[in-house]
Every structure is written in C-alpha cells, then in structure tokens.
Amino acid sequence: MWQRYVAIGDSTTEGLDDPDGDGGYRGWADRFALAVARTQGRLEYANLAIRGRTTARIRAEQLPAALELAPDLATVVAGMNDVLRPSFDADRVAEDVGAMQRALVGQGATVLTFTLPDPTPVMPLARPLRGRMVALNAAVRAVTASTGATLLDLGAHPVASDPRLWSDDRLHANSAGHERIAAALAHTAGLPGYDDSWSHPLPVAVRRPRHEVVRAELAWTRRHLLPWLARHLRGRSSGDNRVAKRPVPLPVELP
C-alpha cells in the first residue's frame, strides 16, 4: 500500500491537453493517482511537473523537491523537450533520467517511467525526429534496467501513436490518450482490475479525403507550429513563470 505519490516531469505529466473542466488540466498522473487511491482507499498525491522543462531542469529543480516529500511511489517521465532541441543527446538525457530514478528508488520509492511514442503518425513533419526518439527510448530502456525502476514501454505499442489519442497540437495526448496512459501505468503497477486492454488498437479509421487532410495541415501549421517556432526563436518557453499545479501532497478526492 502506497502512502504518497509524487510525479515529476514536463507538460505530459502536468496533464496537457486533458481539460479538468475548471480551466486547468487533469492528465494521466491525476488519473493514475485516482486509480491507486480507489484501490487502496486513500493516497496523498503531488504533481511537480511544469510544461516546457528539459530533463536537466527537471533533475535540477523538481528532483530535490520530490526527495524532500519522501514519496513511496513516483513517476519520472521526461525527454520530449530535449528531442525538439538542436543540442539533443540521447545518452545525456537518459543519464539524467537514470539519476532521478536512482535517487527516488534509493529512498525506497516504487518508481515508474515510460518510453515515448513515435510522433510520425501524428505529425508527419516530425519524421526527421523519429531517429532521435528511437535513440532516446533505447537509452531509457537500458538505464531503467539498471536503476530498479519499472518501465512501461509505451513507445513499443503502435496504439500510442494513433492520432485519435492526441490533441490538436500533436504534441500532447488528448483526454482519451491520457486515460490510456493511466490505465497502462495501473496495469504496470499491478493494480487489480487492470489488464493489457489499454494496448489494444482502436477500430480502423475512416480515410479522410485529401482536401480535408491538406486543410487540417494548414490549420495546424497556423495555430500551433508557427507560434511554437516564434516562441522558441525568442528564447521563450511555455513554462516561463509557471509553477507546479500541485506542489504539496494532498489526499486524492474519491468520487
């Protein structure tokens, strides 16, 4: 029975794009915390993740705070923001991930992490990044095998890259995607009532006419890609001046 769960990471752990109905975001970490609390009857939960954070910053800023909270359950998920940067180094990112895993495991926590899905089916323009994602996932698999953490190999399952589980910005899961990730973590953690159904493919998608595809690509470029490029050219991040949404462990509210 776990007493306290602490999640560290970037925007995917923060919960983008899974609206909570109150102007914020829910996300797989919130959903996983609820699954654990339902199984046990109670759980304290803190989420220190902040969007836009690189793995090195998560290690420097969030790990010390997480260790102070002394969790016996933790998730460490990072790397996507590193993949998007010119200075990307898969081994260096995996080293930071491994250091965070070791520190939390060393305090007695059960630590879960997962590999990242192939973005190409969701965002065809990301094809040049596929090699980076493959390298990062391989490095994370290797380091996790040596730290005592538990790996959910999400990136090895094609359904994780189904566009219907991703939001309009094509960088974050939508509500259905976050729900699947939470179910996958619950299964990985051995919670009763969860199985591998999270990994089953969705029904075959109806093929869209070419003109609809082109219109969608143009809309995505205008609404998401160009603003993202402009922000990064100015050296800004979506996480600037943001703080963690749940910095203090609080009891999970059971419906």
Side-chain angles (χ1 to χ4, degrees), residues 23 70 87 109 126 140 143 173 194 248:
S87 59
V140 168
V143 75
Y194 290 90
V248 178

Side-chain angles (χ1 to χ4, degrees), residues 195-209:
D195 54 27
D196 66 352
S197 58
W198 66 268
S199 65
H200 296 176
L202 275 65
V204 177
V206 176
R207 188 169 183 176
R208 294 186 299 170

